[in-house]
């Protein structure tokens, strides 16, 4: 059976030593969350993930969700009880507004905790994850009456939320949406149409499911400018808050799919379902983007979480499995063979995964703290800067964490050899579950285009300029630090490559837009490599400070070893990305479509 231990100590190290947690104490939600409270919440949440959610992961995958003839959906054994305990423990609403019954704790805490719940059980974590997204969208764009009716139960997780965008003919290109909304005399809308692939669309975990649905009001302009956002509950809610009649929305079927079997992926049929407008008519996409941006970060965390749990199981296996002898002489001569951890190639796989995981966790925490700053800083300039950073990093985190997270799950599976392919070890489930993260919430190709086409040029390149300024400021500030210097030179190199790539895009994308498309995925990965390199530099600075203050332990030594490994063996990929980017679109576009 697979194992999982929540990396609470590492999260705390990042908060205390790398990001100077005290710096954020001026933010409103942080007065409720001094570091000892944060530590207690992370530890308890980690324990819940390890003890309640992780044991349900493998059996939940085997059993999957079942749709009954009446359209109801049954989740795997144990999920209902675990979900109730999750709600009762206040975990769903950890970062939801206290005004509506949430815990009102900082956003970063919800994100950090979600790594643990996802690593323990991704399929389970999606039910509260989507609920949090729906809560956030309603909080920002809902009319007061909608908020007071739905937010209290969504915030606590007593009701769950969904996101209904995709239709059979319409995935990435939301301008093609056909679902219709017809205005009724009472001000509500009758929504009709079919949505597919709707995560958590129907299940037995909560009394009500609140669907956020994109649809087109009669007579609306074509394309994305004619899309509106609606709230349509599974069960109508009476004025006194009690549950009323069943609404005209039902699960037509559930998809049979590669992974996340314990999360119900539903075809949802809206048949004149009663819905209410969220935000303004024809401005549905910006409103839905609150949910989508949150979900993109959530999916990024899924990439990291799968990489972490796969690593933990592969590392444990590599220390136990005896095969062959070390090339430099037997390490355990008393045994029939050495453990495979002695082999450089096995270490390569483990080191690559862990060097990613620790820096990715840092980048995730930094992005999540930026969210708190963007929403709560008393200083408008700090709010703006944090919002810029979060916006720029969102496609990078989503695209890079999930591409690499999946690749890492495969690498970890490889460490187990044939046993990695056998179900009982759990590794093949990590691979299957991680695979979807590259596809949903905007396929990764779309994330790369978002980065290159929207986030880089936005506001005259303000966010990107600030990002480069942040790193060059760090390099300048620390240039006299002899202990840190060997770690900074490689970072300087990759920043230079990213700057060259950015310049190349500025000069060549306008000439031929296909150059931007052809460069986008490599650019996103070069950006990720650089951002993770910067995280390693900050981690090393924190480690050296701790060591200089007299702390000495294996965990700190390991971080230095991982940083050296990252710089020596992973950063060189920057050169290949730059070479591919500057080769342009020509070779990609050379064949006519008919030749494929
Ligand atoms: C398990 C699962 C759960 C899901 N959950 C939800 C959910 O809860 N709610 C919801 O609304 N949807 C959900 N989805 C749908 C998911 O978000 C879409 O599958 C995804 O957005 C991609 O859309 P598509 O499948 O139609 O692919 P397409 O849009 O057809 O794209 C196919 C490929 O073409 C590429 N591509 C498309 N357009 C462009 C372009 N302009 N430039 C470059 N490349 C392009 C894409 O990157 C992709 O690789 C889920 C899907 C799955 C499988």
């Amino acid at each position: 059976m697979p194992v999982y231990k929540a990396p609470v100590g590492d999260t705390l190290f990042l908060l205390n030593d790398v990001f100077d947690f005290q710096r954020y104490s001026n933010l409103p939600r942080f007065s409720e969350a001094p570091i000892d409270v944060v530590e207690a919440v992370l530890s308890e949440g980690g324990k819940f993930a390890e003890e309640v959610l992780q044991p349900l992961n493998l059996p939940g995958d085997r059993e999957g969700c079942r749709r009954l003839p009446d359209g109801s959906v049954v989740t795997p054994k144990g999920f209902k009880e675990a979900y109730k305990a999750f709600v009762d423990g206040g975990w769903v609403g950890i970062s939801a507004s206290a005004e509506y019954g949430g815990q009102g704790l900082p956003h970063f805490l919800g994100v950090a905790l979600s790594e643990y719940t996802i690593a323990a059980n991704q399929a389970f974590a999606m039910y509260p994850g989507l609920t949090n997204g729906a809560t956030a969208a309603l909080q920002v764009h809902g009319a007061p009456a909608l908020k007071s009716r739905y937010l209290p139960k969504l915030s606590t997780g007593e009701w769950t939320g969904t996101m209904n965008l995709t239709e059979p003919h319409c995935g990435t290109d939301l301008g093609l949406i056909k679902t219709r909304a017809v205005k009724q005399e009472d001000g509500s809308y009758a929504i009709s149409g079919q949505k597919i692939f709707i995560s958590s669309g129907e299940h037995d975990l909560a009394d009500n499911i609140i669907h956020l649905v994109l649809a087109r009001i009669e007579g609306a302009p074509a394309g994305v400018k004619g899309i509106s956002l609606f709230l349509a509950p599974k069960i109508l809610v009476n004025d006194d808050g009690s549950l009323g009649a069943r609404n005209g929305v039902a699960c037509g079927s559930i998809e049979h799919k590669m992974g996340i079997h314990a999360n119900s992926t539903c075809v949802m049929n809206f048949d004149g379902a009663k819905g209410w407008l969220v935000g303004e008519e024809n401005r549905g996409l910006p409103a839905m983007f609150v949910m989508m941006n949150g979900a993109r970060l959530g999916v990024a965390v899924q990439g990291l979480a799968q990489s972490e749990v796969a690593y933990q199981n592969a590392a444990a296996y590599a220390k136990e499995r005896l095969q062959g002898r070390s090339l430099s002489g037997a390490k355990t001569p008393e045994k029939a063979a050495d453990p495979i951890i002695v082999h450089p190639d096995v270490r390569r796989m483990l080191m690559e995964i862990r060097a990613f995981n620790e820096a990715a966790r840092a980048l995730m925490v930094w992005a999540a703290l930026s969210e708190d700053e963007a929403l709560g800083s008393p200083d408008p300039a700090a709010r703006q800067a944090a919002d810029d950073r979060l916006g720029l990093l969102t496609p990078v985190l989503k695209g890079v964490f999930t591409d690499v997270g999946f690749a890492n799950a495969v690498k970890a599976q490889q460490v187990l050899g044939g046993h990695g392919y056998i179900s009982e070890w759990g590794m093949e489930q990590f691979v299957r579950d991680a695979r979807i993260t590259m596809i949903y919430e905007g396929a990764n190709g779309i994330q790369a285009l978002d980065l290159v086409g929207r986030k880089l040029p936005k506001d005259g390149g303000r966010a990107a300029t600030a990002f480069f300024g942040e790193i060059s400021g760090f390099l300048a500030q620390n240039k006299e630090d002899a202990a840190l210097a060997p770690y900074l030179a490689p970072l300087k190199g990759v920043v230079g490559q990213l700057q060259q790539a950015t310049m190349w895009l500025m000069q060549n994308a306008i000439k031929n837009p296909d150059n931007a498309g052809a460069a986008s995925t490599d650019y996103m990965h070069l950006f990720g490599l650089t951002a993770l390199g910067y995280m390693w530099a900050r981690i090393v600075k924190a480690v050296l400070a701790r060591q200089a203050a007299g702390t000495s332990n294996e965990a700190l030594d390991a971080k230095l070893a991982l940083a050296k490994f990252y710089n020596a063996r992973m950063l060189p990929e920057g050169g290949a990305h730059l070479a591919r980017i500057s080769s342009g679109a020509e070779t990609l576009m050379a064949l006519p479509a008919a030749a494929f």
Side-chain angles (χ1 to χ4, degrees), residues 31-193:
S31 59
E32 303 294 320
I35 195 70
D36 54 330
V37 170
V38 169
E39 181 169 356
V41 172
L42 289 174
S43 301
E44 276 307 302
K47 218 162 99 187
F48 191 95
E50 291 162 9
E51 294 175 2
V52 180
L53 302 181
Q54 197 272 341
L56 295 175
N57 195 36
L58 197 139
D61 175 64
R62 285 187 183 155
E63 187 183 336
C65 292
R66 274 177 304 126
R67 180 185 175 277
L68 303 181
D70 65 358
S72 62
V73 169
V74 182
T75 54
K77 197 160 165 278
F79 268 54
K80 223 171 152 169
E81 295 74 12
Y83 187 75
K84 184 169 182 326
F86 201 64
V87 171
D88 291 348
W91 298 110
V92 179
I94 201 93
S95 300
S97 164
E99 191 188 345
Y100 293 104
Q103 306 273 336
L105 289 169
H107 292 92
F108 87 84
L109 198 52
V111 174
L113 275 170
S114 74
E115 184 202 330
Y116 310 159
T117 47
I118 295 165
N121 196 326
Q122 179 175 329
F124 176 94
M126 288 173 69
Y127 296 99
L130 283 149
T131 305
N132 291 154
T135 306
L138 207 53
Q139 178 96 39
V140 178
H141 291 286
L146 277 188
K147 285 186 185 181
S148 57
R149 187 162 293 202
Y150 294 98
L151 277 179
K153 299 247 165 165
L154 278 171
S155 298
T156 56
E158 285 163 272
W159 296 346
T160 63
T162 69
M163 178 165 76
N164 292 254
L165 285 72
T166 308
E167 299 180 5
H169 61 286
C170 153
T172 302
D173 189 353
L174 293 172
L176 302 175
I177 277 176
K178 283 187 186 159
T179 297
R180 284 171 297 114
V182 180
K183 194 155 189 176
Q184 307 296 294
E185 279 180 4
D186 64 358
S188 69
Y189 290 79
I191 300 171
S192 302

Side-chain angles (χ1 to χ4, degrees), residues 163 165-166 171-172 197-199 265 436 439-441 443 446 449:
M163 178 165 76
L165 285 72
T166 308
T172 302
F197 300 166
I198 302 309
S199 298
T265 309
I436 184 58
I439 298 171
Y440 59 19
E441 263 330 305
I446 303 305
L449 285 178

Side-chain angles (χ1 to χ4, degrees), residues 210-226:
I210 311 304
H211 302 291
L212 291 190
V213 194
L214 287 182
R216 205 176 277 292
I217 297 173
E218 277 182 313
V224 289
K225 293 203 167 109

